C-alpha cells in the first residue's frame, strides 16, 4: 500500500521524513486506539450487567471483528479531516508534499497502535488474574463499597 502511495505522490519520503511522521502519528494513534478499546469493553460490559466485567474484556480481545473495526476507526480519525480534530492536527503537522502518503502511513500506525492496545489490555488482565490485589489500589466506584 505504501509503494502505491509513493507512486501516486511521485516521491518517496526520506527515512528522516518518514520517521518524523511516524513519531507524530504514533502517540495520537495510541491514544485513539486505547480509548476506543476501553470504550468498546465498557459498552459490552454495560450491555450485559449481570456478567463479570472480565468476560466483556475477553470477548472484545478475542474478536477479530472488534480489532479490525477499532483499527479502521483509528485510521479514519487520523486521515479523514471531517472526522474531527485529530486528522486536522495530523495534516497541519505534516509537510504538504507528503499529504498523499498519509493514508498509507496512517494505516501502518493504526494497525500497530491497535495491536499494542489489545496486547496491553491482555497483559493487564493476566496480571490481574495472577494477583487479585493488582488493582486494589484504585478507588472503588461502587458507592455501597
Amino acid at each position: 500500500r505504501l509503494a502505491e502511495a509513493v507512486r501516486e505522490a511521485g516521491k518517496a519520503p526520506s527515512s528522516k521524513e518518514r520517521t518524523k511522521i511516524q513519531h507524530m502519528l504514533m502517540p495520537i494513534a495510541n491514544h485513539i486506539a486505547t480509548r476506543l478499546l476501553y470504550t468498546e469493553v465498557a459498552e459490552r460490559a454495560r450491555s450485559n450487567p449481570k456478567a463479570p466485567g472480565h468476560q466483556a474484556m475477553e470477548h472484545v480481545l478475542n474478536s477479530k471483528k472488534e480489532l479490525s473495526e477499532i483499527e479502521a476507526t483509528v485510521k479514519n480519525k487520523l486521515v479523514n479531516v471531517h472526522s474531527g480534530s485529530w486528522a486536522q492536527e495530523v495534516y497541519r503537522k505534516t509537510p504538504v508534499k507528503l499529504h498523499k502518503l498519509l493514508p498509507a502511513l496512517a494505516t501502518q500506525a493504526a494497525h500497530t497502535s491497535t495491536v499494542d492496545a489489545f496486547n496491553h489490555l491482555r497483559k493487564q488482565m493476566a496480571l490481574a488474574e495472577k494477583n487479585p490485589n493488582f488493582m486494589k489500589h484504585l478507588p472503588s466506584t461502587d458507592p455501597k463499597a
Side-chain angles (χ1 to χ4, degrees), residues 65-99:
K65 180 182 175 224
E66 299 287 351
L67 185 133
S68 64
E69 286 178 1
I70 289 173
E71 185 176 321
T73 304
V74 172
K75 180 188 174 194
N76 184 51
K77 289 190 176 291
L78 290 173
V79 295
N80 182 353
V81 292
H82 303 293
S83 69
S85 61
W86 292 116
Q88 293 167 1
E89 180 178 344
V90 166
Y91 277 95
R92 191 174 55 251
K93 290 182 174 181
T94 305
V96 174
K97 66 181 183 177
L98 300 176
H99 281 190

Side-chain angles (χ1 to χ4, degrees), residues 24-39:
M24 182 262 305
L25 280 175
M26 286 310 295
I28 297 169
N30 288 335
H31 171 77
I32 296 169
T34 301
R35 190 187 68 193
L36 290 171
L37 174 60
Y38 281 68
T39 300

